[in-house]
Amino acid sequence: MKNKFLFIESETRPWGSFYVINDQPEYKIKRIEVNPGSRLSYQYHNGRAETWVIIEGKAKVTINDKTENYSTGETVIIPRKAKHRIENITTENLIFIEIQTGDYFDEDDIIRLEDDYNRLI
C-alpha cells in the first residue's frame, strides 16, 4: 500500500501527475510524479524560480541546454526564466518536491519550447 499524503489540488498530465501541497502568496509547493520514461516539456517561467528535491528515483535534468543526472536526496535550483526540463530515466516513478518562489504561480506561466505531447502554444 502506498503512503497517503495531504494535498489541496491535483492534476493529471500526459507525463504523470502533480499535487499542490501548499499554495501561498509568496510560494507554492507541489509533489510531482513522472511516469517511467516520460518527461516534462522544455520550458521556462517569467514569474517564478523553482527548487526541486528528488525524493524517489533518478532524473535527467536539463537547464539552459546543460544536462545532468540527479537521484534521491539531491536538489536542483532553477532560476526564473531558465529553460528547464526533467525526465524520468528509470522504470519506476520519479517523485520530486517542487518549491516555487516568485510573484506568479499559475499554470499559464509555463512557456513551452519543446513538448512531447504537442502542447506548444
Side-chain angles (χ1 to χ4, degrees), residues 49-54 59-63 68-71 73-79 84-86 96-99:
E50 296 176 344
T51 300
W52 297 341
V53 179
I54 310 298
K60 180 166 70 171
V61 175
T62 303
I63 301 174
E68 291 186 40
N69 290 341
Y70 291 83
S71 56
E74 295 187 301
T75 301
V76 182
I77 306 293
I78 301 148
H84 61 280
R85 163 180 268 164
I86 190 166
F96 64 99
I97 301 300
E98 176 179 273
I99 303 159

Side-chain angles (χ1 to χ4, degrees), residues 1-86:
M1 179 175 164
K2 287 201 168 219
N3 293 333
K4 294 186 178 190
F5 59 94
L6 298 176
F7 58 91
I8 56 176
E9 175 187 343
S10 69
E11 191 169 318
T12 300
R13 295 287 175 104
W15 44 259
S17 55
F18 70 81
Y19 304 85
V20 177
I21 298 168
N22 201 328
D23 191 356
Q24 300 295 320
E26 304 82 16
Y27 65 90
K28 183 183 266 190
I29 301 173
K30 292 181 178 179
R31 173 188 167 116
I32 300 177
E33 300 181 6
V34 184
N35 296 329
S38 295
R39 63 185 183 171
L40 282 66
S41 59
Y42 194 45
Q43 59 186 257
Y44 67 93
H45 311 287
N46 289 312
R48 67 180 183 250
E50 296 176 344
T51 300
W52 297 341
V53 179
I54 310 298
I55 59 171
E56 192 173 307
K58 294 184 180 181
K60 180 166 70 171
V61 175
T62 303
I63 301 174
N64 290 327
D65 300 321
K66 183 179 180 218
T67 301
E68 291 186 40
N69 290 341
Y70 291 83
S71 56
T72 302
E74 295 187 301
T75 301
V76 182
I77 306 293
I78 301 148
R80 186 185 304 224
K81 297 187 179 184
K83 298 177 291 183
H84 61 280
R85 163 180 268 164
I86 190 166

Side-chain angles (χ1 to χ4, degrees), residues 15 34-39 87-93 116-117:
W15 44 259
V34 184
N35 296 329
S38 295
R39 63 185 183 171
E87 179 178 353
N88 183 347
I89 57 174
T90 71
T91 58
E92 303 293 326
N93 276 354
D116 294 344
Y117 312 102

